[in-house]
Amino acid sequence: MEWNPETLQFLSQCFLHTLSPVPEPRRAAERSLSEAADLPNYGLAVLRLVAEPSVDEQTRHAAAVNFKNHLRSRWLPAGDSGISPINDSEKEQIKTLIVSLMLSSSPRIQSQLSEALAIIGKHDFPRSWPALLPELTSSLQKAALAGDYASVNGILGTANSIFKNFRHQFRTNDLFTDIKYCLKNFAPPLQEVFLKTDSLIDSAVASSGGSAAILKPLFESQKLCCRIFLSLNFQDLPEFFEDHMNEWMGVFKKCLSSNYPALEATADGLTLVDDLRSAVCENINLYMEKYEEEFQGYLKDFASAVWTLLRDVSKSPSRDQLATTAIKFLTTVSTSAHHALFAGDNVIKEICQSIVIPNVSLRDEDEELFEMNYIEFIRRDMEGSDVDTRRRIACELLKGLATNYKRQVTEVVSLEIQNLLSSFSTNPAAQWKDKDCAIYLVVSLATKKAGGASVSTDLIDVQSFFANIILPELQSHDVNSFPMLKAGSLKFLTMFRSHLPKPFAIQLFPELVRFLKAESNVVHSYAASCIEKLLLVKDEGGKNRYVASDISPFLLQLMTNLFDALKFPESEENQYLMKCIMRVLGVAEISGEVAGPCIGGLTLVLSEVCKNPKNPTFNHYIFESVAVLVRRACERDSSLISAFEKSLFPSLEFILANDITEFLPYAFQLLAQLVELNRPPLTPNYMQIFLLLLSPESWKRSGNVPALVRLLQAFLQKAPHEVTQENRLSQVLGIFEKLVSSPSTDEQGFYILNTIIEYLDYSVIAPYMTGVWSALFTRLQNKKTVKFQKSLVVFMSLFLVKHGPAYLVDTMNTVQPNIFTTIVEHFWIPNLKLIMGSIEVKLTAVAATRLICETPALLDPAAAKLWGKTLDSIVTLVSRPEQERAVDEPEMPEISDNVGYTAAFVNLHNAGKKEEDPLKDINDPKQFLVASLARLSSASPGSYPQIIFDNLDEANQAALLQLCNAYNCRIA
């Protein structure tokens, strides 16, 4: 794209139209820009438009946003994205222009160009952009000298964005080389600006308190300097900052202990001051965590300053960031070697009364969040949220203090809890927040026992507290009164669920079912979560505490209330309700009476979310719920299959017909489950879907592949005759070849191949075997991975046990004469020892045993060495301890709350394929081995002991002898 008046006119018009409220011109402009973005020098042209003073600011700002996004997608696009990257000459021109343009732009445009510069820096700085740092440093010094804080802050903001990348990278030599380069060039001028700005603030404050207009850019500058300080100190303590610690710490302390009335009088100004103090608290917390020895001389003063500051920080949400970073610093100190700062008389009591209780007590803002945004409230309130709330961080401070002063903390907090509950009892209606605070303290200070969900607390007697404080809330007739207390009580029950005796907890289930009718979204969400977590409780030995018979008396009412709760405003896509539905269906006895309403309720919800998929976690639990309902109900009563198909097919067909990308993998997995539950012959509906499977178009999206393979396996198993008609098997094998050729999908290719071997007659597959072996050996030669080699051993083993060693040897040798012995020697023998999983170990051990006992090529005396090496690998495989060979069957995994719709496949645990044992008639591969060897040996007495002795190492000789004795077999 050439830069000329026509380009200027074209781009100006396009960006102007992108701001239009009218859809047609806006979409046309977006299309034009999207097409132009593929042209060389497009980014450069947009940057020049941003620099063009004759164009209005609104249009230039839109261009700056577009330029930033263009760089994000094209500076270094992913290899498989199909997006053409910006060429090198254009990149160099952009780098030459961007810094000076950013500094001369208005604040709105400057922030966009600063982000764009950081995007380039992430990929190119410093090695591919050596000119950047000298240019930034020179510009910073000039701007600081001129007192131009708009430019100073633009440069510091850019440097902050670039250096931020240093914080969480792995510690490598390259990283430290880059940091050292940045320190050498940028740390001295950074310190100059930091100290000069501090002097300017002092001067401004000294002259009648200073004006907000003068102070604001100076405070913004100091905040950015503090952020850069954090990035440059994050990985290690640099010599420069260690040498100048006095200067930095002096200014830090002043920031925390000084008042700035001119700024603090307004909300915006107070936020700016608090942001600077938060940045200081982060810095001193970093030094406390990582450089305690060097920092200890400053610690006492900082602890005092932070403590004093926290006493004055109001409960306003605008001050949350400062409160949490300041409390974090005290928490770090409390667990350090310098915890004696808190050892004085009444110190812990004062911390509890002046810092903890005020920050744990409910605020008006918390009530508003509870009512207006239940999802955010739960995310903050539920254990494990990544949000640092004041409530949680204050309790973390108590936990930190308890590390070294457990008795004192327990005594102080227990007394505070008693005081809060006494206050509540004097006037429950007015003082209900005190009870909430007491419950919150108990729940938040409970400690998890290692390796489990069980929790304990020294603050209270759990059963007594539950009976006197929690139970009255749960037995309240009005589920809608004091909803925050109800939520806290449900959270308490969830937390201490394993402490309650089973008979008592079962009596509570109907109360929890009742709370599903609560109008508060938080309350019915917590009730659902509590039921779901109770059903996961295990007793010693890993046995589930609650079983189907425990919930059957109220199952129908429970499911009715759960589906009704999904009709409450804002809870239409409530993931806690849907997760509870899934869990209950996984435990309950599913009769026809329950199955009908449940499948009806689920398909109704599914048809709604298909119109606009929004919540990935909720939607995952819908499909898991459908899968578990279908599996458990149909296992009990196969006559329900047709009813389920009738309910589900409209939604599944809608997903396929409308290509709802997010739901396709789920739909294919559910279809696979339904196919597997059917008895042949399959209906025409299914066979139409099978033809869809054979279309190359279906396999283009990587996220669909595992689900498509799963469905294809189901058809191979249930409709082998239909699969082999009209050249379809050739198409299926074409899919296998494509998958097996790539390391990312080769395992999926083997799943198809193994299913073909397992379910199709040899006469059907024989004509294709030469092509199959050719594809496998080509991949083995070109790119062998451990995963591929193990999969190939399993496949060859399955082929051998299904169709015999003769066919195996003959078909392999059609590719190349005598390739069979080469494969056995160089590939099968060394990889056999790597096999994991009980079924795979059994299959490969039995197949290898048959290989040495039934294959003429290995029974030839000339192959004695190869025979012995194979036996050595078999003995190694079967002699490994069971725990080393087994692969644990995972339970239903937790779905991450931040799971998104991505190209990655999401497995439906409840629709999972049952692993079939192809050797059900053989129980013990060890016994099979020694019995086979004994038969072989008795047919050729005296031949095999010598071969075994020559080829087995001492450990395996002993292991084989032990096996022979154990199974009373003798090798003659």
Side-chain angles (χ1 to χ4, degrees):
M1 179 176 271
E2 293 295 321
W3 180 247
N4 52 40
E6 290 77 20
T7 300
L8 174 62
Q9 176 71 16
F10 164 73
L11 290 175
S12 299
Q13 286 298 311
C14 282
F15 285 118
L16 185 62
H17 285 143
T18 60
L19 305 171
S20 170
V22 185
E24 280 69 29
R26 186 176 69 246
R27 287 175 189 148
E30 286 166 354
R31 274 196 305 274
S32 298
L33 289 170
S34 179
E35 289 165 9
D38 287 324
L39 299 172
N41 295 322
Y42 168 81
L44 191 59
V46 174
L47 187 61
R48 285 184 166 143
L49 171 65
V50 174
E52 186 56 55
S54 63
V55 178
D56 71 278
E57 169 141 350
Q58 199 177 15
T59 303
R60 287 190 290 130
H61 181 258
V65 173
N66 177 274
F67 173 73
K68 174 190 72 179
N69 293 331
H70 180 74
L71 297 196
R72 184 172 284 133
S73 62
R74 293 176 186 260
W75 196 269
L76 196 71
D80 56 354
S81 64
I83 297 172
S84 53
I86 298 170
N87 63 53
D88 290 344
S89 64
E90 184 181 354
K91 283 182 176 180
E92 291 308 314
Q93 291 180 75
I94 288 171
K95 287 178 190 175
T96 304
L97 293 172
I98 191 167
V99 175
S100 57
L101 177 55
M102 180 199 72
L103 295 177
S104 61
S105 298
S106 65
R108 285 176 76 215
I109 293 174
Q110 187 179 79
S111 70
Q112 296 299 325
L113 293 180
S114 177
E115 285 183 51
L117 199 154
I119 291 165
I120 304 171
K122 185 179 178 183
H123 298 298
D124 288 18
F125 178 79
R127 286 149 202 255
S128 300
W129 198 357
L132 174 62
L133 201 55
E135 189 175 358
L136 286 177
T137 304
S138 169
S139 301
L140 179 64
Q141 289 169 322
K142 285 176 189 170
L145 194 63
D148 176 8
Y149 270 83
S151 294
V152 165
N153 292 344
I155 298 159
L156 291 175
T158 301
N160 177 42
S161 298
I162 293 169
F163 296 155
K164 209 184 285 182
N165 294 323
F166 293 150
R167 292 186 196 172
H168 300 293
Q169 288 187 34
F170 289 114
R171 294 165 66 90
T172 62
N173 289 337
D174 284 350
L175 172 66
F176 282 106
T177 301
D178 292 347
I179 293 174
K180 189 176 178 182
Y181 165 76
C182 294
L183 285 164
K184 182 182 175 185
N185 288 279
F186 202 79
L190 176 72
Q191 180 166 293
E192 280 175 34
V193 170
F194 184 62
L195 297 177
K196 179 182 178 183
T197 308
D198 177 59
S199 299
L200 291 173
I201 291 171
D202 285 348
S203 301
V205 171
S207 59
S208 67
S211 75
I214 293 170
L215 289 173
K216 276 183 179 178
L218 301 178
F219 269 75
E220 180 66 27
S221 175
Q222 293 299 72
K223 181 188 78 175
L224 289 167
C225 286
C226 286
R227 297 280 185 231
I228 294 168
F229 178 93
L230 185 73
S231 298
L232 295 177
N233 282 269
F234 199 89
Q235 294 286 353
D236 214 342
L237 177 57
E239 189 179 334
F240 177 86
F241 288 109
E242 189 174 359
D243 292 344
H244 294 90
M245 203 181 289
N246 270 334
E247 293 98 307
W248 286 88
M249 295 303 154
V251 178
F252 286 169
K253 188 185 164 201
K254 192 190 298 182
C255 291
L256 295 179
S257 50
S258 300
N259 293 316
Y260 305 97
L263 281 179
E264 294 177 61
T266 65
D268 284 352
L270 181 60
T271 298
L272 195 56
V273 176
D274 280 357
D275 282 350
L276 173 56
R277 289 170 176 158
S278 296
V280 168
C281 286
E282 280 192 71
N283 287 338
I284 60 175
N285 193 51
L286 175 77
Y287 268 55
M288 191 62 225
E289 285 181 334
K290 292 191 171 185
Y291 320 122
E292 187 177 337
E293 188 181 336
E294 292 82 0
F295 181 66
Q296 61 182 334
Y298 306 94
L299 176 56
K300 190 174 180 181
D301 286 347
F302 274 115
S304 174
V306 169
W307 190 333
T308 306
L309 183 66
L310 275 168
R311 285 172 171 166
D312 299 331
V313 173
S314 69
K315 285 187 170 188
S316 166
S318 65
R319 310 201 74 185
D320 284 357
Q321 177 68 18
L322 173 59
T324 54
T325 52
I327 294 171
K328 263 187 186 175
F329 171 71
L330 292 183
T331 305
T332 303
V333 177
S334 74
T335 57
S336 74
H338 301 278
H339 58 78
L341 286 169
F342 301 104
D345 291 342
N346 292 326
V347 171
I348 289 173
K349 183 178 181 181
E350 194 176 339
I351 286 176
C352 194
Q353 290 177 344
S354 63
I355 296 176
V356 176
I357 299 298
N359 283 293
V360 169
S361 299
L362 279 174
R363 301 173 294 172
D364 293 343
E365 292 77 14
D366 298 319
E367 292 183 70
E368 188 178 323
L369 191 68
F370 182 93
E371 291 170 10
M372 306 302 293
N373 188 348
Y374 83 96
I375 293 172
E376 181 61 20
F377 180 88
I378 293 173
R379 196 167 74 88
R380 293 183 184 187
D381 188 51
M382 280 274 197
E383 189 183 5
S385 165
D386 57 353
V387 177
D388 285 332
T389 64
R390 285 202 195 201
R391 299 189 101 189
R392 176 164 303 127
I393 214 73
C395 289
E396 289 300 316
L397 174 56
L398 282 180
K399 285 183 181 178
L401 289 166
T403 307
N404 296 293
Y405 306 101
K406 186 170 185 177
R407 181 184 57 78
Q408 294 95 312
V409 169
T410 303
E411 286 174 2
V412 168
V413 177
S414 296
L415 186 62
E416 286 298 329
I417 289 169
Q418 287 173 31
N419 293 339
L420 289 163
L421 292 173
S422 297
S423 168
F424 165 77
S425 63
T426 59
N427 189 346
Q431 307 287 68
W432 66 269
K433 289 184 183 179
D434 287 343
K435 182 173 180 178
D436 175 87
C437 185
I439 294 171
Y440 189 89
L441 282 169
V442 174
V443 170
S444 298
L445 295 175
T447 52
K448 270 196 173 183
K449 291 181 181 173
S454 183
V455 294
S456 63
T457 179
D458 297 317
L459 295 173
I460 53 155
D461 174 75
V462 172
Q463 297 201 13
S464 170
F465 190 89
F466 185 84
N468 297 318
I469 308 301
I470 303 299
L471 194 57
E473 297 297 335
L474 299 181
Q475 291 179 334
S476 164
H477 292 298
D478 185 0
V479 295
N480 295 316
S481 65
F482 298 103
M484 294 191 86
L485 269 185
K486 300 291 191 294
S489 300
L490 288 164
K491 187 179 171 188
F492 181 96
L493 173 54
T494 306
M495 173 71 77
F496 292 99
R497 59 192 179 274
S498 60
H499 288 254
L500 301 181
K502 179 175 176 178
F504 181 63
I506 287 174
Q507 290 176 6
L508 284 175
F509 266 107
E511 307 291 0
L512 296 174
V513 172
R514 199 165 53 86
F515 272 98
L516 292 169
K517 290 187 169 184
E519 291 169 7
S520 162
N521 299 90
V522 176
V523 173
H524 60 242
S525 298
Y526 277 18
S529 183
C530 187
I531 294 168
E532 190 261 330
K533 293 286 190 292
L534 274 166
L535 293 178
L536 287 175
V537 173
K538 294 187 188 306
D539 288 320
E540 282 185 32
K543 191 176 179 184
N544 286 334
R545 181 177 295 181
Y546 304 99
V547 293
S549 57
D550 296 324
I551 58 173
S552 58
F554 46 84
L555 177 60
L556 203 54
Q557 188 63 55
L558 169 56
M559 298 313 295
T560 301
N561 286 8
L562 281 166
F563 280 109
D564 284 349
L566 287 166
K567 296 171 187 170
F568 279 113
E570 306 297 321
S571 268
E572 297 88 353
E573 297 191 19
N574 185 319
Q575 65 200 49
Y576 305 100
L577 293 170
M578 190 53 69
K579 188 178 185 182
C580 184
I581 289 171
M582 176 201 74
R583 192 74 67 200
V584 173
L585 291 173
V587 171
E589 198 70 46
I590 311 290
S591 63
E593 182 190 19
V594 174
C598 286
I599 197 67
L602 288 168
T603 48
L604 193 65
V605 175
L606 185 56
S607 62
E608 281 302 308
V609 297
C610 280
K611 295 172 187 173
N612 183 19
K614 293 195 293 276
N615 182 341
T617 308
F618 175 79
N619 294 335
H620 182 87
Y621 287 133
I622 294 176
F623 285 101
E624 285 286 9
S625 299
V626 172
V628 73
L629 176 62
V630 169
R631 175 171 61 81
R632 300 194 76 246
C634 294
E635 281 174 359
R636 192 170 184 267
D637 181 1
S638 59
S639 67
L640 290 170
I641 296 172
S642 58
F644 283 168
E645 288 173 338
K646 190 176 178 183
S647 293
L648 286 170
F649 257 70
S651 293
L652 296 177
E653 286 171 344
F654 183 85
I655 292 166
L656 298 180
N658 291 277
D659 195 31
I660 302 174
T661 313
E662 302 92 332
F663 288 173
L664 284 172
Y666 292 131
F668 293 137
Q669 288 175 84
L670 285 181
L671 285 165
Q673 187 184 28
L674 290 168
V675 169
E676 285 170 352
L677 287 166
N678 266 273
R679 289 179 184 164
L682 297 177
T683 62
N685 274 352
Y686 284 115
M687 294 320 297
Q688 284 176 349
I689 291 166
F690 174 68
L691 295 177
L692 176 72
L693 267 182
L694 299 180
S695 157
E697 202 64 33
S698 302
W699 297 82
K700 283 188 175 174
R701 291 194 194 115
S702 59
N704 290 347
V705 168
L708 288 168
V709 167
R710 169 103 169 71
L711 181 52
L712 187 50
Q713 285 180 282
F715 279 113
L716 287 164
Q717 181 181 343
K718 289 290 180 174
H721 179 70
E722 289 86 341
V723 168
T724 56
Q725 303 300 304
E726 301 175 15
N727 197 38
R728 289 172 189 158
L729 182 55
S730 177
Q731 291 173 272
V732 171
L733 286 167
I735 293 166
F736 145 73
E737 282 196 35
K738 187 172 187 303
L739 294 177
V740 90
S741 65
S742 165
S744 62
T745 55
D746 53 13
E747 205 167 20
Q748 302 297 327
F750 275 111
Y751 291 157
I752 295 173
L753 192 56
N754 291 345
T755 311
I756 289 171
I757 296 300
E758 201 158 351
Y759 292 101
L760 301 190
D761 291 338
Y762 183 73
S763 58
V764 174
I765 60 176
Y768 301 98
M769 282 314 300
T770 303
V772 167
W773 291 121
S774 294
L776 293 172
F777 295 158
T778 301
R779 168 64 205 280
L780 188 62
Q781 191 173 16
N782 293 341
K783 193 163 190 178
K784 62 180 175 187
T785 61
V786 172
K787 182 180 66 162
F788 176 83
Q789 292 177 109
K790 285 159 75 172
S791 296
L792 185 49
V793 169
V794 171
F795 166 67
M796 292 190 299
S797 301
L798 183 65
F799 188 102
L800 188 148
V801 300
K802 284 290 177 183
H803 304 301
Y807 283 136
L808 178 74
V809 175
D810 291 347
T811 54
M812 286 172 75
N813 285 338
T814 57
V815 178
Q816 185 180 312
N818 298 319
I819 196 171
F820 168 75
T821 50
T822 306
I823 291 291
V824 170
E825 182 175 4
H826 297 291
F827 166 74
W828 199 329
I829 292 170
N831 285 289
L832 184 60
K833 303 169 188 177
L834 305 177
I835 301 301
M836 302 286 282
S838 54
I839 291 178
E840 286 84 354
V841 167
K842 179 173 144 182
L843 169 65
T844 52
V846 169
T849 300
R850 290 187 59 185
L851 196 65
I852 60 172
C853 294
E854 300 176 25
T855 311
L858 289 181
L859 291 169
D860 189 305
K865 193 173 179 184
L866 197 56
W867 188 96
K869 282 184 177 178
T870 309
L871 176 61
D872 189 68
S873 279
I874 301 169
V875 175
T876 301
L877 179 66
V878 299
S879 300
R880 281 211 313 264
E882 286 294 327
Q883 61 268 30
E884 286 183 30
R885 294 194 275 125
V887 177
D888 288 337
E889 180 64 28
E891 290 194 0
M892 168 74 196
E894 285 297 311
I895 303 304
S896 171
D897 286 340
N898 60 3
V899 65
Y901 295 126
T902 64
F905 165 73
V906 182
N907 182 49
L908 276 180
H909 177 83
N910 288 300
K913 182 176 172 57
K914 278 188 180 173
E915 196 172 10
E916 297 288 336
D917 183 356
L919 295 167
K920 293 186 181 73
D921 54 328
I922 297 173
N923 292 322
D924 187 346
K926 298 175 186 175
Q927 185 177 20
F928 184 82
L929 171 65
V930 292
S932 300
L933 287 174
R935 280 196 303 273
L936 184 66
S937 180
S938 64
S940 308
S943 303
Y944 289 95
Q946 188 60 44
I947 300 173
I948 292 168
F949 183 79
D950 288 345
N951 290 284
L952 263 61
D953 62 30
E954 278 187 41
N956 279 348
Q957 285 176 32
L960 184 58
L961 190 60
Q962 200 174 0
L963 287 174
C964 289
N965 291 334
Y967 294 104
N968 200 23
C969 291
R970 184 168 169 274
I971 300 173

